[in-house]
Amino acid sequence: MLGLIFLKYVSDLFEAQADVIRQRLADPKSDLYIENEEIPGSRAIARMPGPAPLSCSALIL
C-alpha cells in the first residue's frame, strides 16, 4: 500500500512540474520561451509508416 501512495505522490509531482515547464515555455519573458515553434510533444506525434523489420542477427551483439 505504501508503494502505491509513493507512486501517486511521484506522479502528481511530475504533472505539477510539467505544468510549470509548459508555462515557462509559453511565457515570452521567460528564458525558456520558444518563439514561433511548436512545443515538442504537445500536439504532433511522429508515426512510423509500418513495422520496422527486425532480424535475429540484429539482436546478437
Side-chain angles (χ1 to χ4, degrees):
M1 185 65 163
L2 190 57
L4 293 175
I5 293 170
F6 174 75
L7 288 176
K8 175 66 174 149
Y9 168 75
V10 171
S11 175
D12 291 346
L13 191 62
F14 179 84
E15 283 299 318
Q17 189 62 33
D19 289 340
V20 169
I21 292 171
R22 283 187 204 101
Q23 289 172 359
R24 289 185 69 191
L25 288 172
D27 182 14
K29 297 176 185 173
S30 172
D31 57 338
L32 298 178
Y33 178 66
I34 298 177
E35 184 176 343
N36 295 329
E37 292 183 24
E38 179 110 6
I39 296 174
S42 64
R43 290 190 187 100
I45 298 175
R47 302 263 185 211
M48 297 301 292
L54 181 64
S55 66
C56 291
S57 62
L59 297 176
I60 300 172
L61 298 176

